[in-house]
Amino acid sequence: MTNYVSGKVTLQSDFFCGTNPIDLIEEYGSPLYVYNEKILRSRCRELRSLLKYPRFQVQFSAKANSNLTLLQIVREEGLKVDAMSPGEIYIQMKAGFSPEDIFYVCNNVSADEMKFAVERGITVSVDSVSQLELFGKVNPGGKVAVRFNPGVGAGHNEKVVTAGKRTKFGVDPELINEIKDVLNKYDLKVVGINQHIGSLFMEGKPYLDSVKALLDIAGQFSSLEFIDMGGGFGVPYHKQQGEERLDLEALGIELDKVIAEWVQGYGREITIKVEPGRYVVAESGIILGTVHTVKNNYGKKYIGTDIGFNVLARPVMYNSHHDIEVYRKSDAKSAVNEPVTVVGNICESGDIIAKERLLPEIFEEDIIGILDCGAYGCVMSSNYNSRLRPAEILIRKCGEVQVIRRRDTLEDLVRNF
Ligand code: LLP
């Protein structure tokens, strides 16, 4: 019988519904990405009810997770998608999204990459005067969206703050006249304006402020069909410490007010979108891995696992925290909680999942679960050290398990040589 060594996390307790981590690892190999369909669907539904405004749309930012099966579920739930590359567009169309459901929010792309979207009838957002010129050449007389930088940013790490005065993204509103000149030059029609201030806010205020700034800019374009307020909705990564959820309801009420007022001034209802990635998928994914080593090095206890930063890059890249659970097949009891450093199997000292984390005593062959890894987990994995990227499996509603991406094979490593 599986012994759940750390039973502290209530929110994820029925995550494995009908299965258990030990059996899953035995059957599908370690490490392993596990998703829960029910959680994914419920997050989609929460977001769809964010606003009461009738022409409201949720657009999933698929860079957070572009697994084909998960995209299909998101589509079934009535969400649209944004794409960052021709590759994302390609997968999204395979998942059944129609061109009207896809918004290409690109950055510094080539003419060919723009054509890829234009030829498929997908709306493109440009985020510089320079890229607008390129779009004009690729698609004169066409429809386009412009991404503005409202001058307000937010995010959990400076690497993911995508607006404000210190980032490469968006058009500075001061350049609006230059934008208008290029629009005229190529007879382009602005159908949308959009922004994305950054990733992971837990308080609604910066988002709300940025929306107000965007709406001011929007008032300067009479031909709009939509405004896209961006993503960034945070999830509580510190659930074991009781971190509160983002108050979506309160944010929704404030947004509804601001939007209703703006629409009245604008004179007609247009589509209003949000563009979340993390909020949709983060909590529906867990990484399972195996403890191969327990050692003391100069007074520090290390737990050596097979979850290197090729499997999960977030802790190394952003110093991100992920809660950890421990599962055990044997009857061995963890007597105490102790500070340990949980590491992977990559040949770099920075290959650390959690530093000096207080966890129940861990033994070799224990299975650990890294929680809230559904967003920016598998999509950021790599074959560094010629390691195989893990399989992804999905726990369906009824407890049945489906492989939704097979584990790499050794042949995959040499396929393109
Ligand atoms: N829209 C645009 C234009 C974006 O650039 C992003 C994320 C999103 C929407 C979705 O943001 P979200 O709702 O997921 O916060 N790898 C980092 C996050 C990078 C986010 C990049 N842009 C991480 O693991 O925290």
Side-chain angles (χ1 to χ4, degrees), residues 61 63-64 82 105 147 156 160 162 196 198-200 231-233 275-279 314 318 376 380:
S61 194
K63 59 183 71 67
D82 88 55
V105 187
R147 174 174 175 177
H156 67 86
V160 300
T162 50
H196 174 69
S199 199
L200 208 165
F233 302 77
E275 198 170 273
R278 185 187 318 272
Y279 198 92
R314 300 194 72 254
Y318 317 110
Y376 307 108
M380 290 175 70

PDB file of all heavy atoms in Angstrom, residues 61 63-64 82 105 147 156 160 162 196 198-200 231-233 275-279 314 318 376 380, ligand 1:
ATOM      1  N   SER A  61      -3.033  30.907 -23.347  1.00  0.00           N
ATOM      2  CA  SER A  61      -1.699  31.170 -23.871  1.00  0.00           C
ATOM      3  C   SER A  61      -0.937  29.851 -23.879  1.00  0.00           C
ATOM      4  O   SER A  61      -0.406  29.405 -22.860  1.00  0.00           O
ATOM      5  CB  SER A  61      -1.001  32.211 -22.990  1.00  0.00           C
ATOM      6  OG  SER A  61       0.130  32.693 -23.664  1.00  0.00           O
ATOM      7  N   LYS A  63       1.773  28.757 -24.784  1.00  0.00           N
ATOM      8  CA  LYS A  63       3.194  28.579 -24.480  1.00  0.00           C
ATOM      9  C   LYS A  63       3.358  27.895 -23.118  1.00  0.00           C
ATOM     10  O   LYS A  63       4.363  27.270 -22.854  1.00  0.00           O
ATOM     11  CB  LYS A  63       3.947  29.911 -24.516  1.00  0.00           C
ATOM     12  CG  LYS A  63       3.404  30.942 -23.543  1.00  0.00           C
ATOM     13  CD  LYS A  63       4.129  32.271 -23.651  1.00  0.00           C
ATOM     14  CE  LYS A  63       3.820  33.007 -24.921  1.00  0.00           C
ATOM     15  NZ  LYS A  63       2.412  33.482 -25.041  1.00  0.00           N
ATOM     16  N   ALA A  64       2.329  28.004 -22.272  1.00  0.00           N
ATOM     17  CA  ALA A  64       2.399  27.374 -20.948  1.00  0.00           C
ATOM     18  C   ALA A  64       2.351  25.854 -21.051  1.00  0.00           C
ATOM     19  O   ALA A  64       2.951  25.154 -20.231  1.00  0.00           O
ATOM     20  CB  ALA A  64       1.260  27.872 -20.061  1.00  0.00           C
ATOM     21  N   ASP A  82      -3.789  31.755 -27.909  1.00  0.00           N
ATOM     22  CA  ASP A  82      -2.807  32.608 -28.575  1.00  0.00           C
ATOM     23  C   ASP A  82      -1.602  31.754 -28.929  1.00  0.00           C
ATOM     24  O   ASP A  82      -1.373  30.709 -28.320  1.00  0.00           O
ATOM     25  CB  ASP A  82      -2.428  33.837 -27.723  1.00  0.00           C
ATOM     26  CG  ASP A  82      -1.275  33.599 -26.760  1.00  0.00           C
ATOM     27  OD1 ASP A  82      -0.190  33.180 -27.203  1.00  0.00           O
ATOM     28  OD2 ASP A  82      -1.446  33.856 -25.557  1.00  0.00           O
ATOM     29  N   VAL A 105       0.390  36.262 -31.313  1.00  0.00           N
ATOM     30  CA  VAL A 105       1.003  37.377 -30.569  1.00  0.00           C
ATOM     31  C   VAL A 105       2.513  37.185 -30.634  1.00  0.00           C
ATOM     32  O   VAL A 105       3.127  36.669 -29.711  1.00  0.00           O
ATOM     33  CB  VAL A 105       0.533  37.397 -29.099  1.00  0.00           C
ATOM     34  CG1 VAL A 105       1.034  38.651 -28.388  1.00  0.00           C
ATOM     35  CG2 VAL A 105      -0.977  37.335 -29.015  1.00  0.00           C
ATOM     36  N   ARG A 147       0.286  45.429 -30.266  1.00  0.00           N
ATOM     37  CA  ARG A 147       0.511  45.225 -28.828  1.00  0.00           C
ATOM     38  C   ARG A 147       1.181  46.456 -28.249  1.00  0.00           C
ATOM     39  O   ARG A 147       2.265  46.851 -28.692  1.00  0.00           O
ATOM     40  CB  ARG A 147       1.405  43.995 -28.628  1.00  0.00           C
ATOM     41  CG  ARG A 147       1.823  43.783 -27.178  1.00  0.00           C
ATOM     42  CD  ARG A 147       2.568  42.481 -27.003  1.00  0.00           C
ATOM     43  NE  ARG A 147       3.079  42.292 -25.666  1.00  0.00           N
ATOM     44  CZ  ARG A 147       3.712  41.190 -25.259  1.00  0.00           C
ATOM     45  NH1 ARG A 147       3.883  40.180 -26.095  1.00  0.00           N
ATOM     46  NH2 ARG A 147       4.150  41.089 -24.032  1.00  0.00           N
ATOM     47  N   HIS A 156       6.639  37.523 -11.368  1.00  0.00           N
ATOM     48  CA  HIS A 156       7.297  36.901 -10.222  1.00  0.00           C
ATOM     49  C   HIS A 156       8.806  37.012 -10.294  1.00  0.00           C
ATOM     50  O   HIS A 156       9.507  36.712  -9.333  1.00  0.00           O
ATOM     51  CB  HIS A 156       6.866  35.432 -10.103  1.00  0.00           C
ATOM     52  CG  HIS A 156       7.340  34.551 -11.230  1.00  0.00           C
ATOM     53  ND1 HIS A 156       8.562  33.947 -11.221  1.00  0.00           N
ATOM     54  CD2 HIS A 156       6.752  34.193 -12.388  1.00  0.00           C
ATOM     55  CE1 HIS A 156       8.699  33.230 -12.335  1.00  0.00           C
ATOM     56  NE2 HIS A 156       7.618  33.363 -13.058  1.00  0.00           N
ATOM     57  N   VAL A 160      10.293  37.705 -16.413  1.00  0.00           N
ATOM     58  CA  VAL A 160       8.942  37.505 -16.967  1.00  0.00           C
ATOM     59  C   VAL A 160       8.042  38.736 -16.803  1.00  0.00           C
ATOM     60  O   VAL A 160       6.835  38.646 -16.954  1.00  0.00           O
ATOM     61  CB  VAL A 160       8.259  36.242 -16.373  1.00  0.00           C
ATOM     62  CG1 VAL A 160       9.056  35.005 -16.681  1.00  0.00           C
ATOM     63  CG2 VAL A 160       8.035  36.376 -14.869  1.00  0.00           C
ATOM     64  N   THR A 162       6.800  41.695 -18.607  1.00  0.00           N
ATOM     65  CA  THR A 162       6.822  41.931 -20.057  1.00  0.00           C
ATOM     66  C   THR A 162       6.224  43.277 -20.463  1.00  0.00           C
ATOM     67  O   THR A 162       5.834  43.473 -21.604  1.00  0.00           O
ATOM     68  CB  THR A 162       6.080  40.795 -20.788  1.00  0.00           C
ATOM     69  OG1 THR A 162       4.808  40.620 -20.148  1.00  0.00           O
ATOM     70  CG2 THR A 162       6.840  39.504 -20.740  1.00  0.00           C
ATOM     71  N   HIS A 196       0.407  42.482 -22.575  1.00  0.00           N
ATOM     72  CA  HIS A 196       0.632  41.427 -21.569  1.00  0.00           C
ATOM     73  C   HIS A 196       1.673  41.998 -20.620  1.00  0.00           C
ATOM     74  O   HIS A 196       2.819  42.192 -21.001  1.00  0.00           O
ATOM     75  CB  HIS A 196       1.125  40.134 -22.220  1.00  0.00           C
ATOM     76  CG  HIS A 196       1.500  39.092 -21.209  1.00  0.00           C
ATOM     77  ND1 HIS A 196       0.553  38.472 -20.427  1.00  0.00           N
ATOM     78  CD2 HIS A 196       2.697  38.602 -20.831  1.00  0.00           C
ATOM     79  CE1 HIS A 196       1.161  37.624 -19.605  1.00  0.00           C
ATOM     80  NE2 HIS A 196       2.464  37.691 -19.823  1.00  0.00           N
ATOM     81  N   GLY A 198       2.938  40.856 -17.773  1.00  0.00           N
ATOM     82  CA  GLY A 198       3.912  39.972 -17.130  1.00  0.00           C
ATOM     83  C   GLY A 198       3.221  38.785 -16.522  1.00  0.00           C
ATOM     84  O   GLY A 198       1.993  38.699 -16.514  1.00  0.00           O
ATOM     85  N   SER A 199       4.031  37.896 -15.993  1.00  0.00           N
ATOM     86  CA  SER A 199       3.510  36.606 -15.573  1.00  0.00           C
ATOM     87  C   SER A 199       3.521  36.448 -14.063  1.00  0.00           C
ATOM     88  O   SER A 199       4.559  36.640 -13.426  1.00  0.00           O
ATOM     89  CB  SER A 199       4.371  35.516 -16.210  1.00  0.00           C
ATOM     90  OG  SER A 199       3.687  34.309 -16.202  1.00  0.00           O
ATOM     91  N   LEU A 200       2.371  36.096 -13.545  1.00  0.00           N
ATOM     92  CA  LEU A 200       2.161  35.742 -12.145  1.00  0.00           C
ATOM     93  C   LEU A 200       1.985  36.940 -11.220  1.00  0.00           C
ATOM     94  O   LEU A 200       2.906  37.354 -10.537  1.00  0.00           O
ATOM     95  CB  LEU A 200       3.277  34.825 -11.607  1.00  0.00           C
ATOM     96  CG  LEU A 200       2.842  33.886 -10.465  1.00  0.00           C
ATOM     97  CD1 LEU A 200       3.874  32.793 -10.243  1.00  0.00           C
ATOM     98  CD2 LEU A 200       2.576  34.581  -9.165  1.00  0.00           C
ATOM     99  N   GLY A 231      -2.478  38.100 -20.078  1.00  0.00           N
ATOM    100  CA  GLY A 231      -2.569  37.047 -19.064  1.00  0.00           C
ATOM    101  C   GLY A 231      -1.807  37.446 -17.814  1.00  0.00           C
ATOM    102  O   GLY A 231      -1.729  38.625 -17.476  1.00  0.00           O
ATOM    103  N   GLY A 232      -1.244  36.460 -17.139  1.00  0.00           N
ATOM    104  CA  GLY A 232      -0.432  36.735 -15.952  1.00  0.00           C
ATOM    105  C   GLY A 232      -1.084  36.329 -14.646  1.00  0.00           C
ATOM    106  O   GLY A 232      -0.475  36.481 -13.576  1.00  0.00           O
ATOM    107  N   PHE A 233      -2.317  35.828 -14.696  1.00  0.00           N
ATOM    108  CA  PHE A 233      -3.055  35.439 -13.479  1.00  0.00           C
ATOM    109  C   PHE A 233      -2.251  34.381 -12.715  1.00  0.00           C
ATOM    110  O   PHE A 233      -1.938  33.322 -13.249  1.00  0.00           O
ATOM    111  CB  PHE A 233      -4.431  34.877 -13.853  1.00  0.00           C
ATOM    112  CG  PHE A 233      -5.271  35.846 -14.645  1.00  0.00           C
ATOM    113  CD1 PHE A 233      -5.029  36.063 -15.989  1.00  0.00           C
ATOM    114  CD2 PHE A 233      -6.274  36.567 -14.027  1.00  0.00           C
ATOM    115  CE1 PHE A 233      -5.782  36.977 -16.719  1.00  0.00           C
ATOM    116  CE2 PHE A 233      -7.037  37.492 -14.740  1.00  0.00           C
ATOM    117  CZ  PHE A 233      -6.780  37.692 -16.098  1.00  0.00           C
ATOM    118  N   GLU A 275      -5.792  36.547 -21.578  1.00  0.00           N
ATOM    119  CA  GLU A 275      -4.853  35.642 -22.254  1.00  0.00           C
ATOM    120  C   GLU A 275      -4.009  34.838 -21.258  1.00  0.00           C
ATOM    121  O   GLU A 275      -2.783  34.916 -21.257  1.00  0.00           O
ATOM    122  CB  GLU A 275      -3.955  36.541 -23.112  1.00  0.00           C
ATOM    123  CG  GLU A 275      -3.193  35.873 -24.204  1.00  0.00           C
ATOM    124  CD  GLU A 275      -2.563  36.956 -25.081  1.00  0.00           C
ATOM    125  OE1 GLU A 275      -3.258  37.402 -26.010  1.00  0.00           O
ATOM    126  OE2 GLU A 275      -1.418  37.361 -24.823  1.00  0.00           O
ATOM    127  N   PRO A 276      -4.662  34.118 -20.365  1.00  0.00           N
ATOM    128  CA  PRO A 276      -3.899  33.397 -19.334  1.00  0.00           C
ATOM    129  C   PRO A 276      -3.302  32.085 -19.832  1.00  0.00           C
ATOM    130  O   PRO A 276      -3.927  31.367 -20.631  1.00  0.00           O
ATOM    131  CB  PRO A 276      -4.968  33.108 -18.268  1.00  0.00           C
ATOM    132  CG  PRO A 276      -6.235  32.997 -19.047  1.00  0.00           C
ATOM    133  CD  PRO A 276      -6.109  33.885 -20.251  1.00  0.00           C
ATOM    134  N   GLY A 277      -2.128  31.777 -19.360  1.00  0.00           N
ATOM    135  CA  GLY A 277      -1.518  30.472 -19.624  1.00  0.00           C
ATOM    136  C   GLY A 277      -1.461  29.674 -18.340  1.00  0.00           C
ATOM    137  O   GLY A 277      -2.144  28.680 -18.139  1.00  0.00           O
ATOM    138  N   ARG A 278      -0.641  30.197 -17.386  1.00  0.00           N
ATOM    139  CA  ARG A 278      -0.388  29.491 -16.140  1.00  0.00           C
ATOM    140  C   ARG A 278      -1.678  29.098 -15.409  1.00  0.00           C
ATOM    141  O   ARG A 278      -1.813  27.974 -14.957  1.00  0.00           O
ATOM    142  CB  ARG A 278       0.458  30.400 -15.235  1.00  0.00           C
ATOM    143  CG  ARG A 278       0.898  29.757 -13.946  1.00  0.00           C
ATOM    144  CD  ARG A 278       1.590  30.776 -13.038  1.00  0.00           C
ATOM    145  NE  ARG A 278       2.489  31.658 -13.728  1.00  0.00           N
ATOM    146  CZ  ARG A 278       3.777  31.411 -13.969  1.00  0.00           C
ATOM    147  NH1 ARG A 278       4.316  30.293 -13.539  1.00  0.00           N
ATOM    148  NH2 ARG A 278       4.523  32.284 -14.612  1.00  0.00           N
ATOM    149  N   TYR A 279      -2.607  30.057 -15.273  1.00  0.00           N
ATOM    150  CA  TYR A 279      -3.790  29.795 -14.449  1.00  0.00           C
ATOM    151  C   TYR A 279      -4.583  28.596 -14.979  1.00  0.00           C
ATOM    152  O   TYR A 279      -5.173  27.847 -14.213  1.00  0.00           O
ATOM    153  CB  TYR A 279      -4.692  31.044 -14.379  1.00  0.00           C
ATOM    154  CG  TYR A 279      -5.667  30.969 -13.226  1.00  0.00           C
ATOM    155  CD1 TYR A 279      -5.341  31.498 -11.987  1.00  0.00           C
ATOM    156  CD2 TYR A 279      -6.886  30.308 -13.361  1.00  0.00           C
ATOM    157  CE1 TYR A 279      -6.201  31.399 -10.907  1.00  0.00           C
ATOM    158  CE2 TYR A 279      -7.755  30.198 -12.290  1.00  0.00           C
ATOM    159  CZ  TYR A 279      -7.405  30.746 -11.063  1.00  0.00           C
ATOM    160  OH  TYR A 279      -8.258  30.630  -9.992  1.00  0.00           O
ATOM    161  N   ARG A 314      12.089  25.634 -14.110  1.00  0.00           N
ATOM    162  CA  ARG A 314      11.647  26.831 -13.377  1.00  0.00           C
ATOM    163  C   ARG A 314      12.481  27.161 -12.127  1.00  0.00           C
ATOM    164  O   ARG A 314      12.868  28.322 -11.932  1.00  0.00           O
ATOM    165  CB  ARG A 314      10.159  26.740 -13.001  1.00  0.00           C
ATOM    166  CG  ARG A 314       9.218  26.600 -14.194  1.00  0.00           C
ATOM    167  CD  ARG A 314       7.764  26.853 -13.840  1.00  0.00           C
ATOM    168  NE  ARG A 314       7.518  28.248 -13.596  1.00  0.00           N
ATOM    169  CZ  ARG A 314       7.323  28.776 -12.402  1.00  0.00           C
ATOM    170  NH1 ARG A 314       7.311  28.014 -11.336  1.00  0.00           N
ATOM    171  NH2 ARG A 314       7.132  30.061 -12.263  1.00  0.00           N
ATOM    172  N   TYR A 318      14.284  30.713 -12.577  1.00  0.00           N
ATOM    173  CA  TYR A 318      13.670  31.868 -11.899  1.00  0.00           C
ATOM    174  C   TYR A 318      13.742  31.767 -10.384  1.00  0.00           C
ATOM    175  O   TYR A 318      13.075  32.535  -9.686  1.00  0.00           O
ATOM    176  CB  TYR A 318      12.180  31.980 -12.263  1.00  0.00           C
ATOM    177  CG  TYR A 318      11.852  31.763 -13.709  1.00  0.00           C
ATOM    178  CD1 TYR A 318      11.178  30.616 -14.121  1.00  0.00           C
ATOM    179  CD2 TYR A 318      12.213  32.701 -14.669  1.00  0.00           C
ATOM    180  CE1 TYR A 318      10.868  30.413 -15.444  1.00  0.00           C
ATOM    181  CE2 TYR A 318      11.902  32.501 -15.996  1.00  0.00           C
ATOM    182  CZ  TYR A 318      11.229  31.356 -16.380  1.00  0.00           C
ATOM    183  OH  TYR A 318      10.927  31.147 -17.689  1.00  0.00           O
ATOM    184  N   TYR A 376       4.563  25.745 -17.988  1.00  0.00           N
ATOM    185  CA  TYR A 376       5.999  26.004 -18.156  1.00  0.00           C
ATOM    186  C   TYR A 376       6.843  24.879 -17.545  1.00  0.00           C
ATOM    187  O   TYR A 376       7.924  25.125 -17.011  1.00  0.00           O
ATOM    188  CB  TYR A 376       6.378  27.375 -17.567  1.00  0.00           C
ATOM    189  CG  TYR A 376       5.510  28.481 -18.107  1.00  0.00           C
ATOM    190  CD1 TYR A 376       4.538  29.113 -17.313  1.00  0.00           C
ATOM    191  CD2 TYR A 376       5.613  28.873 -19.443  1.00  0.00           C
ATOM    192  CE1 TYR A 376       3.709  30.104 -17.829  1.00  0.00           C
ATOM    193  CE2 TYR A 376       4.783  29.864 -19.960  1.00  0.00           C
ATOM    194  CZ  TYR A 376       3.850  30.473 -19.149  1.00  0.00           C
ATOM    195  OH  TYR A 376       3.034  31.446 -19.668  1.00  0.00           O
ATOM    196  N   MET A 380       9.178  23.469 -21.349  1.00  0.00           N
ATOM    197  CA  MET A 380      10.532  24.011 -21.199  1.00  0.00           C
ATOM    198  C   MET A 380      11.564  22.909 -20.955  1.00  0.00           C
ATOM    199  O   MET A 380      12.718  23.192 -20.650  1.00  0.00           O
ATOM    200  CB  MET A 380      10.559  25.016 -20.028  1.00  0.00           C
ATOM    201  CG  MET A 380       9.807  26.299 -20.353  1.00  0.00           C
ATOM    202  SD  MET A 380       9.704  27.455 -18.950  1.00  0.00           S
ATOM    203  CE  MET A 380      11.410  28.009 -18.823  1.00  0.00           C
TER     204      MET A 380
HETATM  205  N1  LLP B   1       0.443  36.471 -23.348  1.00  0.00           N
HETATM  206  C1  LLP B   1       1.711  36.765 -23.686  1.00  0.00           C
HETATM  207  C2  LLP B   1       1.962  37.676 -24.790  1.00  0.00           C
HETATM  208  C3  LLP B   1       2.767  36.202 -22.964  1.00  0.00           C
HETATM  209  O1  LLP B   1       4.023  36.501 -23.298  1.00  0.00           O
HETATM  210  C4  LLP B   1       2.495  35.312 -21.905  1.00  0.00           C
HETATM  211  C5  LLP B   1       3.579  34.693 -21.136  1.00  0.00           C
HETATM  212  C6  LLP B   1       1.147  35.024 -21.601  1.00  0.00           C
HETATM  213  C7  LLP B   1       0.147  35.639 -22.339  1.00  0.00           C
HETATM  214  C8  LLP B   1       0.734  34.073 -20.505  1.00  0.00           C
HETATM  215  O2  LLP B   1       1.195  34.435 -19.262  1.00  0.00           O
HETATM  216  P1  LLP B   1       0.699  33.617 -17.967  1.00  0.00           P
HETATM  217  O3  LLP B   1      -0.775  33.794 -17.849  1.00  0.00           O
HETATM  218  O4  LLP B   1       1.037  32.192 -18.204  1.00  0.00           O
HETATM  219  O5  LLP B   1       1.454  34.186 -16.842  1.00  0.00           O
HETATM  220  N2  LLP B   1       8.317  30.545 -18.156  1.00  0.00           N
HETATM  221  C9  LLP B   1       7.867  31.507 -17.164  1.00  0.00           C
HETATM  222  C10 LLP B   1       6.690  32.294 -17.628  1.00  0.00           C
HETATM  223  C11 LLP B   1       6.909  32.971 -18.957  1.00  0.00           C
HETATM  224  C12 LLP B   1       5.734  33.739 -19.439  1.00  0.00           C
HETATM  225  C13 LLP B   1       5.942  34.278 -20.798  1.00  0.00           C
HETATM  226  N3  LLP B   1       4.809  34.935 -21.358  1.00  0.00           N
HETATM  227  C14 LLP B   1       7.577  30.767 -15.854  1.00  0.00           C
HETATM  228  O6  LLP B   1       7.750  29.544 -15.803  1.00  0.00           O
HETATM  229  O7  LLP B   1       7.195  31.370 -14.863  1.00  0.00           O
END
